[in-house]
Amino acid sequence: MPFAPDQHATTLLIRKLESIATLTDEERQALDSLPVRTHVLGARQDIVRDGDRPTHCCLVVEGWACRYKLLSQGKRQILSFHIAGDIPDLLSLHVPTMDHSLATVTSATVAFIPHESLHTLVARHPRLASLLWRDTLIDAAIFRAWMVGMGRRSAYERIGHLFCEMYVKLEAVGLAGDHCCPLPLTQVDLADALGLTPVHVNRVLQEMRRQALLELRSRKLVIQAWDELSAAAEFDPRYLQLGKRAA
Amino acid sequence: MPFAPDQHATTLLIRKLESIATLTDEERQALDSLPVRTHVLGARQDIVRDGDRPTHCCLVVEGWACRYKLLSQGKRQILSFHIAGDIPDLLSLHVPTMDHSLATVTSATVAFIPHESLHTLVARHPRLASLLWRDTLIDAAIFRAWMVGMGRRSAYERIGHLFCEMYVKLEAVGLAGDHCCPLPLTQVDLADALGLTPVHVNRVLQEMRRQALLELRSRKLVIQAWDELSAAAEFDPRYLQLGKRAA
DNA sequence: CGTGTAGTTGAAAAGTTTCAACACGAGTGG
DNA sequence: CCACTCGTGTTGAAACTTTTCAACTACACG
């Protein structure tokens, strides 16, 4: 690997922001000198918990993370999945107390950036502030897409939609191609993300396999019939705002 | 009315931001000189449509608005409700194309603020940028709360949760009190917001009335048993971040 | 007084959940 | 190397929540 881990984190962030807008040398420099601390975490570990008041934001460098909320009787709702380049708790910069938890899904490398340095950064570089603000707005757009799914789509369409979304997100950062991507989620995870039961997820997945729409084995997803799947799920990737970088 | 309509709009915005942080005279001045154009719209009118590229943001001055997304076969998902002081399409400032529509619910007064002036404003006043950014983050927190509801709560809990949320939001801006508030939504609106059918909403409402939890007649909601309703819905208002202004 | 929107009702159907059992593979300790 | 456990995936049958469809009521408005 050409970079030391900490440098890798800032490089990743710079690349992410440059996929949206061209940065000045000064801005790139400011991002690069962000004091990040990189950690390697095991799978299924909490990073920040509901009720915490974090002092750092967390940049996913490698692996998957998710946000989730626990309810009474052990019910769990997963709110989002995050991959390399995402800053899932960027919101803690302006909303002090977490209203949900953040955890790893797989073992993962994450970089912690102090709020303090981010506040200084955005105060000095308003355009970077806008870019990060925009990032939280895209986050919200993904929430809306999930809401539409949970409110108005069948289990079948919801599962299809999530698979399309994750594939496109992974492809955009070079982690997927050929309609094939990692999908390190158990059927329980999928159920908790989609508002279904694991049993039902299982049955719908079988149906999709029977129709030769996709294969899903050992945490690897192959979408064999992209057009049919994305049509069935009414998947329109525009909400992800990948315009500039998508092929 | 003590203010000309346009002035009323900026005053409302200033009051909203001052409920979170103390503003400097300069900031207040900058907000006050924002060139807003106030319009009175009828009920059920689109303000911005899915796919549009707005040039203005819309501040709700009076009345209710909602964001929604239309799917094939006439299915509709309402994504949020907005009341006085909200800027439902603030996101258009950084994400050019709308991925959903914005419409009035009741007849409403809305003030349009050009993107241009907002961009200038946030460039000159980074703290105002942060406050507006924060606003979009609270928006996202409400989305998450709705996701939890649609994913993991029963129809009964979902309806109760929405009523608690709207009551608290209205109370925070002085439009409700005594566990009594306007609720200008039809059962069809409720259904589309909660991911249910109107018929089912109707039956659950009857159940709630039978239990003397609430009254809902002629667009007026009275929550007769707040504690029971909010407990049944597991309503915890912290996600609304009303700390400083809530009683 | 008619027309239309909103709310209500009943019965049957559908989608999804629940519960309980079993299969399979990976990892662990004896 | 086996037995054991644990997490994950799979299956079946019954139950439940919610939907669907269709009809009907109530009320506001022009």
Side-chain angles (χ1 to χ4, degrees), chain B residues 65-77:
Chain B
C66 74
R67 293 194 262 179
Y68 69 92
K69 175 103 184 158
L70 255 24
L71 283 88
S72 67
Q73 298 151 20
K75 283 184 285 188
R76 176 177 72 150
Q77 177 65 45

Side-chain angles (χ1 to χ4, degrees), chain A residues 22-42:
Chain A
T22 315
L23 302 181
T24 65
D25 285 345
E26 214 184 17
E27 288 164 341
R28 219 174 296 119
Q29 170 61 36
L31 286 164
D32 205 49
S33 55
L34 237 27
V36 307
R37 280 179 326 156
T38 302
H39 289 241
V40 177
L41 302 176

Side-chain angles (χ1 to χ4, degrees), chain B residues 188-206:
Chain B
V188 174
D189 293 330
L190 287 171
D192 285 344
L194 297 164
L196 300 168
T197 52
V199 173
H200 197 53
V201 167
N202 181 287
R203 297 202 238 257
V204 174
L205 283 176
Q206 287 180 54

Side-chain angles (χ1 to χ4, degrees), chain A residues 75 82-83 86 95 97 112 223:
Chain A
K75 282 184 288 188
H82 296 279
I83 59 173
D86 290 345
V95 179
T97 309
F112 290 99
I223 302 178

Side-chain angles (χ1 to χ4, degrees), chain A residues 11-227:
Chain A
T11 310
L12 187 63
L13 184 55
I14 292 169
R15 251 210 309 263
K16 166 142 185 165
L17 297 178
E18 289 212 293
S19 75
I20 305 159
T22 315
L23 302 181
T24 65
D25 285 345
E26 214 184 17
E27 288 164 341
R28 219 174 296 119
Q29 170 61 36
L31 286 164
D32 205 49
S33 55
L34 237 27
V36 307
R37 280 179 326 156
T38 302
H39 289 241
V40 177
L41 302 176
R44 314 271 156 191
Q45 279 194 266
D46 277 345
I47 300 171
V48 195
R49 287 211 182 81
D50 198 345
D52 282 359
R53 306 178 121 258
T55 55
H56 296 251
C57 286
C58 158
L59 168 70
V60 179
V61 176
E62 186 267 321
W64 284 41
C66 73
R67 293 194 264 178
Y68 69 93
K69 175 105 184 156
L70 253 27
L71 283 88
S72 66
Q73 302 151 17
K75 282 184 288 188
R76 177 177 69 149
Q77 176 65 46
I78 291 180
L79 302 161
S80 56
F81 293 113
H82 296 279
I83 59 173
D86 290 345
I87 309 180
D89 60 350
L90 187 54
L91 78 165
S92 65
L93 209 52
H94 293 297
V95 179
T97 309
M98 294 293 289
D99 61 14
H100 61 275
S101 299
L102 173 62
T104 60
V105 171
T106 63
S107 71
T109 310
V110 301
F112 290 99
I113 315 173
H115 282 178
E116 212 185 305
S117 347
L118 283 170
H119 276 128
T120 312
L121 180 83
V122 299
R124 292 213 189 117
H125 303 278
R127 229 170 46 97
L128 292 181
S130 293
L131 287 175
L132 291 172
W133 184 355
R134 192 190 111 109
D135 208 65
T136 64
L137 292 170
I138 293 170
D139 217 56
I142 297 174
F143 289 150
R144 287 192 295 272
W146 284 35
M147 284 178 62
V148 170
M150 294 203 283
R152 288 289 175 244
R153 278 197 248 268
S154 68
Y156 187 98
E157 295 164 323
R158 253 182 268 185
I159 294 177
H161 200 276
L162 178 62
F163 287 173
C164 290
E165 176 181 302
M166 291 315 305
Y167 174 77
V168 169
K169 278 191 65 171
L170 288 161
E171 193 196 25
V173 293
L175 292 170
D178 276 335
H179 295 147
C180 169
C181 69
L183 200 102
L185 304 172
T186 65
Q187 295 182 354
V188 174
D189 294 330
L190 288 171
D192 285 344
L194 298 164
L196 300 167
T197 52
V199 173
H200 197 55
V201 168
N202 181 285
R203 298 203 238 256
V204 173
L205 283 176
Q206 286 180 55
E207 170 68 11
M208 288 175 148
R209 283 192 269 245
R210 209 172 312 126
Q211 298 176 319
L213 284 187
L214 53 81
E215 273 176 38
L216 178 54
R217 268 202 318 269
S218 49
R219 323 278 97 139
K220 200 142 194 62
L221 169 69
V222 183
I223 302 178
Q224 296 165 301
W226 174 267
D227 292 345

Side-chain angles (χ1 to χ4, degrees), chain B residues 46-84:
Chain B
D46 278 346
I47 300 171
V48 196
R49 289 213 181 79
D50 197 345
D52 281 359
R53 307 176 121 259
T55 56
H56 295 252
C57 285
C58 160
L59 167 70
V60 180
V61 176
E62 185 270 320
W64 283 42
C66 74
R67 293 194 262 179
Y68 69 92
K69 175 103 184 158
L70 255 24
L71 283 88
S72 67
Q73 298 151 20
K75 283 184 285 188
R76 176 177 72 150
Q77 177 65 45
I78 291 180
L79 302 161
S80 56
F81 293 113
H82 296 278
I83 59 172

